[in-house]
Amino acid sequence: MGGVSSFRSTVTRTAPGALSGLLAAFTALGVAELVAALGRPAAGPVTAVGGGVIDRTPAAVKDVAIRTFGENDKLVLQLGILALLALFAVLIGVLALRYRRLGAAGVLGFGALGAAAALSRPDSAGAGDALPSLTGALAGAVVLGLLTGKARSPRMPSGRGATGGRWSRRGFLVAATATAGAAAGAGTLGRALAGRRGQGAAVSRSSLVLPAAASPAPPVPAGSQVKVPGVSSFATSNRDFYRVDTALAVPKVDAGTWRLRIHGKGVDQPGTYTFEDLLARPLIERDITLTCVSNEVGGPYVGNARWLGVPLAALLAECGVKPPSKGGGADQLVARSVDGMTLGSPVEDLMDGRDAMLAVGMNGRPLPFDHGFPVRMVVPGLYGYVSACKWIADIELTTFDAYDSYWVARNWARRAPVKTQSRIDTPKPFARPSPGTVMVAGVAWAQHRGISRVEVRIDEGPWQDADLAVQDTADTWRQWSFPWKAASGGHTITVRATDGPGQVQTEQRTRTIPDGASGWHSVFVTVL
């Protein structure tokens, strides 16, 4: 009983300090969000610290995070940051009950960390980016001092008129409630202001009418979609298209103020283009399948859409750019997004005749914000990390020797053509189909080379040809199906593909790092 009593006593003594710390942190975040909304929302402490964590996380750890949490990886990171902040706040609050200056110093130190993270971001706008974290920390320190002061108020001795203990508790609760309300108000106002700042971008997107393509995509041929339940749709909707990037806060860019600068080595005529400039040019429309380099064998990070955009090679040629094979001095195009992300693409690939474009439309609509509105790059045959720059704002021509883009500096390969891959969509792993004919089906892709053959193997039996759906273009995935005469028992189904030139998909299993996963996809099923 003595231990339980001691524990209760400890909780009673420290609970006001813990609550004070949490409210101080809540206030700091609320004020910081408000100040960031008045200046630059991306400079908010959670976004800045989260971005810093992403930048400094080893590539292998990022890969595990994407594999484990999928497109929720950023939400998990933000929740983790808030959880650590809450733990830190509790400890600081308890400490401040006895050492108020140390508690205040802890809050200010955390603010300094947020300010440093904001200033270190690639898209930092300068010293002003430190203000949200520093202002928030100052407010948090004041609140911590106020609340711990209330929590430490001396109690009057018991007896007639001894109401001091109750007054101290009441005063603390009143102050805590007022603080929580003010902090919530600041945070809500900050988010509302940040939302208003994005209204111009939302209006520019909702009011946009995409022009017709000068070179429209041909109709998707009949027979491109196999009629097997469970197979991915040939065309991936905007809502279902995968999203893998480092942006904790999706940039909301107003198309009316957006600009694209083209400059650098071998650019004889540097230029700056508006969104209207791009829309006034002849546009092409193409069906193109994109793949993320973080896609594991059999993974979901691949999708096919109809893109509308400006041919990139023609735009570069107008600026005087030549590929290395024709005497050009630059072998790398570095694309920079509005949030500072850099992706490096081989100039030779961009100008070799493939339909590389600055895309403005996706599946007949303006690009969604998540997928790069107002303009992004799309390059068939290259993994996204070396080509698919979203929210693009700058194109610099340089060399691979002179500059390492974001992912290359983190040990990913400089050049990354998409590897031949195939995936079983149905039956799912550990499915329990009945004996008889079981339709095995899925997709295969080798963008810019095409798929010429898909084979299926049951257990260790011979490879058998699957039925191929009609191919749209060499830049899109291709569906396949295989009628399997399934016998009772456990079976492993394996698939492999052959690309257009005749190269068979390798069996060798490799990780996604440094240039994409390889290996055959297989599923185990039990036929009952």
Side-chain angles (χ1 to χ4, degrees):
M1 292 296 293
V4 173
S5 177
S6 176
F7 174 75
R8 288 177 177 172
S9 177
T10 300
V11 171
T12 300
R13 290 196 313 270
T14 59
L19 181 58
S20 298
L22 288 173
L23 288 173
F26 187 29
T27 300
L29 288 179
V31 171
E33 288 288 338
L34 177 57
V35 175
L38 294 171
R40 206 173 68 88
V46 175
T47 300
V49 172
V53 170
I54 291 174
D55 289 348
R56 290 162 179 79
T57 299
V61 177
K62 289 181 184 176
D63 208 43
V64 170
I66 293 173
R67 186 166 61 248
T68 304
F69 302 113
E71 296 184 23
N72 294 316
D73 58 335
K74 301 169 194 68
L75 175 61
V76 171
L77 173 60
Q78 289 174 312
L79 291 176
I81 291 173
L82 292 175
L84 289 175
L85 175 60
L87 178 60
F88 177 80
V90 167
L91 295 176
I92 286 296
V94 172
L95 177 66
L97 283 175
R98 297 189 61 182
Y99 307 103
R100 294 174 70 179
R101 290 183 179 178
L102 283 179
V107 176
L108 294 174
F110 201 83
L113 175 63
L119 293 174
S120 69
R121 302 296 298 133
D123 61 337
S124 174
D129 281 358
L131 285 178
S133 292
L134 295 180
T135 307
L138 182 60
V142 170
V143 165
L144 183 64
L146 171 66
L147 293 180
T148 53
K150 291 287 186 181
R152 297 192 316 160
S153 293
R155 294 171 181 262
M156 293 177 63
S158 61
R160 184 178 178 181
T163 59
R166 289 192 298 272
W167 181 90
S168 177
R169 187 177 299 110
R170 184 183 304 115
F172 173 78
L173 292 176
V174 168
T177 301
T179 297
T188 301
L189 179 59
R191 291 191 173 275
L193 290 174
R196 290 175 66 96
R197 288 174 65 92
Q199 284 184 353
V203 170
S204 71
R205 181 180 183 275
S206 64
S207 62
L208 174 62
V209 177
L210 293 173
S215 174
V220 175
S224 61
Q225 175 80 49
V226 300
K227 297 180 180 179
V228 178
V231 176
S232 303
S233 173
F234 177 78
T236 310
S237 68
N238 293 359
R239 181 186 62 187
D240 295 332
F241 210 94
Y242 74 90
R243 178 198 165 200
V244 178
D245 53 53
T246 64
L248 285 177
V250 174
K252 299 292 180 67
V253 182
D254 188 329
T257 60
W258 175 86
R259 298 290 185 272
L260 173 68
R261 181 187 177 210
I262 300 179
H263 62 108
K265 188 179 181 67
V267 180
D268 296 336
Q269 299 178 17
T272 299
Y273 299 84
T274 67
F275 190 63
E276 291 297 326
D277 290 337
L278 295 191
L279 294 184
R281 299 177 65 88
L283 304 182
I284 60 172
E285 183 183 57
R286 298 291 184 267
D287 294 327
I288 298 172
T289 297
L290 299 185
T291 311
C292 178
V293 74
S294 294
N295 199 44
E296 296 282 349
V297 172
Y301 302 126
V302 56
N304 183 59
R306 176 159 290 192
W307 305 93
L308 175 73
V310 174
L312 183 55
L315 190 62
L316 294 175
E318 285 184 17
C319 295
V321 178
K322 297 178 182 178
S325 62
K326 295 184 179 180
D331 61 6
Q332 178 181 205
L333 179 150
V334 176
R336 288 182 175 83
S337 72
V338 297
D339 64 353
M341 170 58 69
T342 58
L343 304 182
S345 308
V347 175
E348 194 69 47
D349 292 347
L350 301 178
M351 304 185 76
D352 67 356
R354 72 184 73 197
D355 289 315
M357 69 173 80
L358 294 176
V360 297
M362 180 179 183
N363 289 328
R365 297 182 60 83
L367 292 172
F369 286 113
D370 282 357
H371 293 290
F373 181 83
V375 183
R376 65 169 294 167
M377 275 179 59
V378 171
V379 183
L382 300 183
Y383 282 118
Y385 85 99
V386 294
S387 65
C389 184
K390 295 187 283 191
W391 315 292
I392 189 171
D394 185 272
I395 288 177
E396 180 181 4
L397 279 297
T398 182
T399 65
F400 283 107
D401 289 339
Y403 184 81
D404 284 342
S405 60
Y406 181 91
W407 291 111
V408 173
R410 289 156 178 82
N411 299 318
W412 293 80
R414 289 177 171 177
R415 301 172 187 269
V418 173
K419 297 179 180 180
T420 303
Q421 283 289 323
S422 51
R423 186 181 73 197
I424 300 169
D425 284 351
T426 185
K428 299 297 183 184
F430 308 112
R432 294 173 174 266
S434 300
T437 301
V438 174
M439 291 304 297
V440 181
V443 290
W445 59 90
Q447 292 95 306
H448 203 54
R449 302 187 304 279
I451 294 294
S452 61
R453 186 182 190 187
V454 173
E455 300 167 279
V456 174
R457 185 177 70 184
I458 308 300
D459 300 320
E460 296 301 320
W463 287 102
Q464 303 176 68
D465 283 324
D467 297 319
L468 291 176
V470 176
Q471 180 167 280
D472 184 2
T473 74
D475 291 335
T476 63
W477 57 11
R478 193 170 189 180
Q479 298 191 349
W480 57 269
S481 62
F482 176 77
W484 170 39
K485 303 299 183 182
S488 298
H491 300 282
T492 299
I493 308 171
T494 306
V495 65
R496 71 180 184 187
T498 300
D499 68 13
Q503 186 68 38
V504 179
Q505 178 182 346
T506 180
E507 179 184 10
Q508 183 180 0
R509 278 268 181 169
T510 62
R511 301 168 57 201
T512 57
I513 303 171
D515 61 354
S518 66
W520 296 338
H521 185 218
S522 62
V523 298
F524 180 82
V525 301
T526 302
V527 180
L528 299 178

